[in-house]
Amino acid sequence: MSGHLDHRLLRGFVAVAEELHFTRAAMRLHVAQQALSRDVRRLERELGAELFVRTTRQVTLTPDGERLLPYARRVLQAQDDLLAAFGQARPLLVDVNSPGLVTPRRVLHEARELAPRHELMARYESGLTGAAGELLAGRLDASFGRFAGLDPVLRSGLDHQPVRLEPMAVVLPDDHRLASWDAVPLAELAGESVYAGAGNPRTPEWTGLARLLFEGRGIDIAPPAPLAVGDEEFQRLMARTRNPVLAVVEFPALPSMVVRPLVDPVPLSPVSLVWRKGLTHPAFDALRRAAARLAAETGWLRRPEGAWLPPGDDVLMASHG
């Protein structure tokens, strides 16, 4: 071994070790799969050790690969820290779910004010479950959503900070029988089929929250619908199905639709800032401080009189409160 290892080779190794799949690792690094394979083989030659067992069906780490992984991570983290100290940190990638959601965008905007020398880039994963895999793979740094709604296996590699207990609402066609009401009591939705993302693999945490809310109230979850991307497609689909849509009170106004808060009780959507355990980045502290400041200044974590929150969410939000 020459005594010097190219950091690019270590990054390639870590990506493959975490993905256990050369194609996904190459996509994560934005390189050709053949180039990544060459880099891994070169690293193996320089170390004089086989790092992966490759078959046509799977990739696994050898004992030497397992031994190298923590060292490689520490070396790469030290390099990132060094670059950050001189203002050359990579962008912090923050999932705001979708452009229309107010809470994540406000936190991101506040964090940019707190850390003007760093780049915080918005991403749009449209669902915390969808974002969780990206967080764990290192392709995304932070996201927002209902932490209690994640599979426990996913939660075990993540951490969270409560940000907001956001009052929920219903989106209705403007000629719906309830559209003229200032607020809609939950009991008035009995007999309705309400769309809550059923069938969308990226948002089961939202559908699960709806199922808990509707249970025993005679409200059905509307069947799966084609995934609508963009306001125009969402409006078209709404016009065809005419199902009310479960949302939050700051859901953006759209033509031919109205947003009405839900009451009796006031259901709350628990929103946390979520990240991969062990994440370090010079702008990440600003993101956490921004979330905490907004929660304190706006009372986002205060519970209205007669509010509803599932017990599991209640425990997780309180444990970090």
Side-chain angles (χ1 to χ4, degrees), residues 3 14 17 38 53 64 73 81 107 136 172 181 209 212 218 244 309:
V14 169
R38 283 196 301 270
V53 176
D64 281 331
R73 283 173 169 155
D81 292 344
V107 173
L136 292 170
L172 302 163
W181 295 43
L209 183 65
L212 292 170
L309 190 66

Side-chain angles (χ1 to χ4, degrees), residues 262-287:
L262 292 168
V263 294
D264 301 331
V266 175
L268 301 176
S269 169
V271 180
S272 287
L273 171 64
V274 181
W275 64 92
R276 181 179 65 261
K277 286 181 178 177
L279 172 67
T280 58
H281 188 286
F284 179 55
D285 178 63
L287 191 68

Side-chain angles (χ1 to χ4, degrees), residues 46-110:
E46 293 199 11
L47 292 175
E50 186 178 19
L51 302 174
F52 297 101
V53 176
R54 308 161 177 86
T55 70
T56 56
R57 303 189 65 176
Q58 64 179 356
V59 175
T60 57
L61 281 163
T62 65
D64 281 331
E66 294 276 6
R67 189 158 58 97
L68 174 62
L69 185 57
Y71 291 104
R73 283 173 169 155
R74 287 201 292 271
V75 169
L76 295 175
Q77 186 61 61
Q79 183 189 41
D80 289 344
D81 292 344
L82 174 63
L83 293 174
F86 289 88
Q88 298 181 45
R90 64 172 178 81
L92 186 75
L93 304 180
V94 183
D95 168 37
V96 296
N97 195 280
S98 67
L101 290 183
V102 171
T103 300
R105 285 193 297 111
R106 286 191 62 183
V107 173
L108 180 58
H109 177 77
E110 179 83 4

Side-chain angles (χ1 to χ4, degrees), residues 11 43 71 86 94 97 107 141 145 153 204 218 229 232 236 304 317:
R11 288 196 186 278
L43 180 61
Y71 291 104
F86 289 88
V94 183
N97 195 280
V107 173
D141 294 310
V153 174
V229 178
E232 184 177 341
R236 186 184 64 80
M317 295 297 278

Side-chain angles (χ1 to χ4, degrees), residues 206-224:
W206 180 251
T207 308
L209 183 65
R211 188 167 288 111
L212 292 170
L213 176 61
F214 297 164
E215 187 176 11
R217 291 188 166 96
I219 308 170
D220 294 326
I221 291 181

Side-chain angles (χ1 to χ4, degrees), residues 171-176 179 235 238-239 242 253-259:
V171 182
L172 302 163
D174 59 9
D175 59 353
H176 190 277
Q235 292 173 60
M238 273 286 292
R242 297 191 57 78
L254 295 171
S256 304
M257 285 182 261
V258 298
V259 180

Side-chain angles (χ1 to χ4, degrees), residues 25-41:
M27 292 174 62
R28 168 173 160 179
L29 296 171
H30 304 288
V31 299
Q33 181 180 336
Q34 294 87 342
L36 178 59
S37 296
R38 283 196 301 270
D39 283 349
V40 170
R41 286 196 296 271

